[in-house]
C-alpha cells in the first residue's frame, strides 16, 4: 500500500472503500454481504495448509530481516501499552462498543 496511504489510514483515520483504486492494494477480494460466510469459509480452507505457514514465513523474511521486525514489534508494544488508557483511545472504544 505504501507509506503515504498507510499514514493517512493510521494517523487521520482515512477509510478505504472497496470501489477505490487503492482498495486493490489493501484487500484480496470483495464480496456481497450475503456471500460473506461462504467467502470466509473458503479463505479459511485455503489457509489450512502446512505450506501456508512456511511460505508466509519465507515471504516475511525476504521482505524484512528478523531483527528489524523484532525491534519494530518491541517498540510497537511499548507504544500501545503507553496509549492503552489515553482519553482518545477510551473514547473510540466507547463509541465502537455502543454500535454493537
Amino acid at each position: 500500500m505504501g507509506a503515504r496511504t498507510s499514514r493517512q489510514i493510521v494517523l487521520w483515520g482515512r477509510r478505504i472503500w472497496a470501489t477505490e483504486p487503492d482498495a486493490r492494494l489493501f484487500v484480496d477480494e470483495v464480496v456481497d454481504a450475503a456471500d460473506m460466510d461462504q467467502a470466509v469459509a473458503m479463505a479459511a480452507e485455503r489457509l489450512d495448509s502446512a505450506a501456508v505457514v512456511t511460505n508466509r514465513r519465507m515471504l516475511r523474511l525476504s521482505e524484512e530481516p528478523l531483527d528489524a521486525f523484532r525491534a519494530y514489534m518491541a517498540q510497537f508494544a511499548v507504544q500501545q501499552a503507553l496509549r492503552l488508557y489515553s482519553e482518545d483511545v477510551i473514547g473510540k472504544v466507547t463509541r465502537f462498543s455502543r454500535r454493537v
Side-chain angles (χ1 to χ4, degrees):
M1 172 152 290
R4 180 173 174 246
T5 304
S6 297
R7 278 192 304 273
Q8 292 171 352
I9 293 168
V10 172
L11 299 176
W12 302 304
R14 176 180 171 192
R15 293 178 183 239
I16 304 292
W17 302 102
T19 55
E20 290 181 54
D22 281 345
R24 292 176 295 156
L25 303 171
F26 192 63
V27 298
D28 293 324
E29 182 179 7
V30 176
V31 297
D32 290 329
D35 300 327
M36 185 64 73
D37 289 339
Q38 181 181 1
V40 169
M42 290 174 61
E45 187 176 320
R46 287 191 303 265
L47 290 172
D48 187 26
S49 165
V52 170
V53 174
T54 302
N55 288 333
R56 183 171 178 258
R57 182 174 186 274
M58 296 308 295
L59 287 169
R60 186 181 52 76
L61 288 173
S62 70
E63 294 171 354
E64 178 176 41
L66 189 54
D67 286 340
F69 177 71
R70 286 180 177 148
Y72 167 79
M73 288 307 295
Q75 191 55 234
F76 181 81
V78 167
Q79 295 304 317
Q80 291 299 304
L82 292 171
R83 300 237 338 106
L84 186 60
Y85 295 106
S86 63
E87 286 185 36
D88 63 312
V89 172
I90 297 296
K92 285 180 184 178
V93 169
T94 303
R95 280 197 322 270
F96 289 130
S97 65
R98 288 182 188 150
R99 293 182 189 174
V100 178

